[in-house]
Amino acid sequence: MLPEPDRHTVATHWGTYRAQFEDGRLAALKPIDEDPDPSPLSDGMIDALDSPARIRRPAVRRSFLENGHRATGKRGAEPFVEVTWDQALDLAAAELKRVRETHGNGAIYGGSYGWSSAGRFHHAQSQVHRFLNSIGGYVRSVQNYSYAAADTILPHVIGDKRGLIAHHTTWPQIARHTKLIVMFGGVPRKNAQVSSGGISRHILRESLAEARSNGAQIVSISPICDDTEAAAGAEWLPIRPGTDVALMLGIAHTLLAEQRIDRAFLASHTTGFERFAAYLDGRSDGVAKNADWAAAIAAISADTIRALARRMAANRTMIQMAWSLQRADHGEQPYWMAIVLAAMLGQIGLPGGGFGFGYGSVNGVGHAVPDMSWPSLPQGDNAIRDYIPVARIADMLLDPGGAYDFNGERRIYPDIRLVYWAGGNPFHHHQDINRLRQAWQRPEAIVVHDSWWNALARHADIVLPATTVLERNDIAASSRDRFIAASHRVAAPAGEARDDFDIFTALAERLNVAKTFTDGRDTEGWLRHLFTLARQRAEAAGHHLPDFETFWKKGYCILPEPELVRQQSLLADYRDAPESHPLKTPSGRIEIFSETIAGFGYADCPGHAAWLEPTEWLGSPIAARFGLHLITNQPAQRLHSQYDHVGLSRATKINGREPIRIHPRDAAERGIAESDIVRVFNDRGSCLAAAVLSDAVRPGVAQLSTGAWYDPVKPESDNSLDGHGNPNVLTRDRGTSRLAQGPSAQSCLVEIEKYTGPLPPITAFDPPPFTDRPASKSR
């Protein structure tokens, strides 16, 4: 039995909290004392426990219950029937058995996204993958929606993913040594509220303050001014969206023309610079990529570009780039070009110099952490080797057997008959929801675990109610932080909700794989096992953790920060000794030109970084019809779409709609006033939103945060108006290139008009209609 905690702790993606109770019920969550800049995102977690949207009992889509996989009704437009757990589990197990026996495990797609829980055990993605592996495997996805293009391009350029998700130059190193921080996409504090695996300390605000106090100058290059908060004192360069590569080329040309590059570093640590230089100065295509050329594309003056190039060469410069820049057409190019620019400056591997990706995209990037990894739930071995790039799910469902290119391979989409989804919501993070809804009708069966009746649950056949982080015991730890925390159960499960582990255990029993799935452990057994592994790893790294009972009672442990002298700059070992620490590229060097990529023959991703015009940007012909570039960034008031129905997120709505920011000049041209309800539209779809006039966005740009729960006014329609403000009815479902096939949501043009029709009610936060069980029929 787990010991009673001295004080109950709750670990979330946005912070670690102490639970407070009144009359035996959870009343509040208070941040731990060690966090200097806590997030308010915990507001609403308690209200959400018993909100109207809560899934309280297992439910099955009516026509699916009646006809099974031959159901003819439309997912997302049908009522549900509540059933018993035994009925739901028997039905789900029977569908898994039918598909495996008829089509094989390669016809099962295991969908998930890792943000449903900060816990190491109740991590839905690990749970569903472990379960599906225990029954013979499944088709998986690779990459993620956050940085898919970067995930693919970086190993070609620097041999691995250092500087993307780990091994960054630390903020203390930057604060001590960097004199100029050039931020492409800014470092938004709203993004840095969260981090997968949990947070003990939010570090961005104090890190920026320390850098500023030590004399660092900050330049924020973004279409949105407050992508870097005002307290950072950043100089704002309001770039035209999607043109960062052109700007960097203009900077690089200035460095080359004025002989401000480090030729010795380029010669000793890179390969292919001369082939890139021929493109840069125009010898290869007749177009010099100078500052005047870049200014016409990026809408930043040539004088400003040249001056910035000179400042970067004259100072210890850190180039930081947000993850969001590569979620666009040709998203591989800005990351490749940032590395090329840093190499030309010759500061890669120096303290406070070089490059890094994702500073501010989540908390903890640049955090000085111990050199160790925390244990997680093992997922087992997947007997199915097939996979898809994560953002190609609609393509897979719409085109089984179709061919596509990916990272040098010619691949075939599998024929998926059953989708099993636990954790995450594709109707939040996937592009072109109208197209996704069409694709979602194709599988024979869809099983979903969720806690609330969001769009994913509404588009399922079998819905199994899962507990929330407040309703189960777990352990949280993050590779970007220095803590391990107990996450105590502080509320009873709502209705009949069960832990994912208990749901999968019950299914595993029905499919005769319970021993394989559970490994003979219950929840407590797994928590004790994982903490034992954590103690062993901490001990090997020179740190002591208490015994499990002491840890569980205390709630959390924070390890000491490594001394500054032990904090290494990104690629410092390679800079100091390139022969003994070669990179894992074909040449062992930074590949400014990649023979491998060039050999793929992809027109949309050539052998060196290049300006490739996006399909949709303010310089494209379609801008004559859709004159605003839509930026769909992360919200300040929620994590993705989580808890949109309560608390802070609900309070920020205007007349029930998601706010959309536009420049006052653009609003005046369209006859739009503050708080007007507007229709945002293009050829892919339309949604309603509430206008907020702000000069923090450059003219020609509209900013609509992701995460508003999808709310089609006419669910039975294939292209319904979304009444709530979900931007993914507007974004394009197209891969970044044939190399990475990542999401390209940020290449999106729209138009906006004042909405004058009757306002549809917001129904996204209500449960779907329920009906009685249909009369039984033979199948």
Side-chain angles (χ1 to χ4, degrees), residues 330-512:
H330 318 300
E332 301 84 359
Q333 302 306 312
Y335 272 46
W336 199 348
M337 188 60 217
I339 296 170
V340 172
L341 191 54
M344 293 175 69
L345 292 170
Q347 297 185 23
I348 293 174
L350 292 177
F355 65 91
F357 306 113
Y359 287 95
S361 294
V362 291
N363 187 72
V365 172
H367 201 356
V369 297
D371 186 17
M372 60 169 288
S373 62
W374 298 106
S376 58
L377 179 68
Q379 296 183 15
D381 295 325
N382 190 347
I384 302 300
R385 299 305 175 195
D386 205 359
Y387 64 85
I388 63 165
V390 67
R392 303 275 56 81
I393 181 171
D395 288 357
M396 173 186 72
L397 296 177
L398 289 168
D399 188 26
Y404 68 99
D405 291 302
F406 175 59
N407 201 16
E409 295 184 354
R410 188 71 170 167
R411 300 184 58 82
I412 303 297
Y413 286 121
D415 187 0
I416 297 299
R417 304 303 180 100
L418 186 148
V419 173
Y420 204 120
W421 205 288
N425 178 3
F427 289 85
H428 154 66
H429 61 242
H430 195 71
Q431 285 65 61
D432 197 347
I433 287 179
N434 289 318
R435 184 172 186 264
L436 177 65
R437 288 191 80 204
Q438 295 174 27
W440 215 247
Q441 308 303 320
R442 298 296 185 91
E444 296 172 354
I446 297 176
V447 184
V448 164
H449 296 198
D450 217 310
S451 303
W452 294 280
W453 282 107
N454 55 34
L456 173 64
R458 290 169 181 262
H459 286 78
D461 297 320
I462 303 171
V463 180
L464 305 176
T467 53
T468 73
V469 64
L470 301 179
E471 299 166 335
R472 59 196 180 214
N473 292 309
D474 211 337
I475 293 174
S478 171
S479 61
R480 301 188 188 102
D481 211 309
R482 298 183 286 109
F483 83 114
I484 183 169
S487 191
H488 300 122
R489 174 173 159 169
V490 293
E496 300 176 16
R498 296 184 181 182
D499 297 347
D500 292 307
F501 177 72
D502 294 335
I503 297 171
F504 286 127
T505 297
L507 284 172
E509 290 169 349
R510 285 164 168 80
L511 297 170
N512 300 314

Side-chain angles (χ1 to χ4, degrees), residues 2-12 15-22 24-33 46 469-474 485-492 550-556:
L2 292 169
E4 182 66 20
D6 295 334
R7 294 181 65 189
H8 286 81
T9 303
V10 174
T12 74
T16 305
Y17 300 84
R18 293 293 199 181
Q20 297 184 348
F21 299 87
E22 293 180 5
R25 291 177 59 87
L26 179 63
L29 297 171
K30 299 297 183 183
I32 59 173
D33 294 338
I46 299 173
V469 64
L470 301 179
E471 299 166 335
R472 59 196 180 214
N473 292 309
D474 211 337
S487 191
H488 300 122
R489 174 173 159 169
V490 293
T550 302
F551 160 74
W552 195 258
K553 289 180 179 181
K554 180 181 178 182
Y556 61 91

Side-chain angles (χ1 to χ4, degrees), residues 176 178 198 234 422 507 549 607:
R176 173 70 66 89
T178 305
L507 284 172
E549 277 69 21

Side-chain angles (χ1 to χ4, degrees), residues 503-579:
I503 297 171
F504 286 127
T505 297
L507 284 172
E509 290 169 349
R510 285 164 168 80
L511 297 170
N512 300 314
V513 293
K515 185 176 181 181
T516 301
F517 175 70
T518 67
D519 205 15
R521 299 186 181 96
D522 59 9
T523 295
E524 180 179 345
W526 273 108
L527 295 180
R528 290 181 178 274
H529 174 67
L530 291 173
F531 187 76
T532 297
L533 295 178
R535 287 188 76 195
Q536 294 170 352
R537 295 185 185 186
E539 193 73 28
H543 303 287
H544 174 72
L545 292 177
D547 61 81
F548 181 83
E549 277 69 21
T550 302
F551 160 74
W552 195 258
K553 289 180 179 181
K554 180 181 178 182
Y556 61 91
C557 301
I558 299 178
L559 302 181
E561 179 178 301
E563 297 177 2
L564 186 62
V565 294
R566 299 183 64 186
Q567 298 175 27
Q568 196 169 51
S569 296
L570 175 64
L571 298 183
D573 55 347
Y574 171 64
R575 180 187 184 89
D576 293 342
E579 299 303 325

Side-chain angles (χ1 to χ4, degrees), residues 96-130:
L96 286 163
K97 184 174 185 292
R98 177 188 66 81
V99 171
R100 291 165 65 208
E101 291 179 350
T102 306
H103 306 287
N105 282 68
I108 298 172
Y109 181 73
S112 185
Y113 216 57
W115 287 96
S116 70
S117 170
R120 307 300 272 191
F121 177 63
H122 291 298
H123 181 253
Q125 187 179 70
S126 298
Q127 291 279 349
V128 67
H129 291 173
R130 180 179 176 87

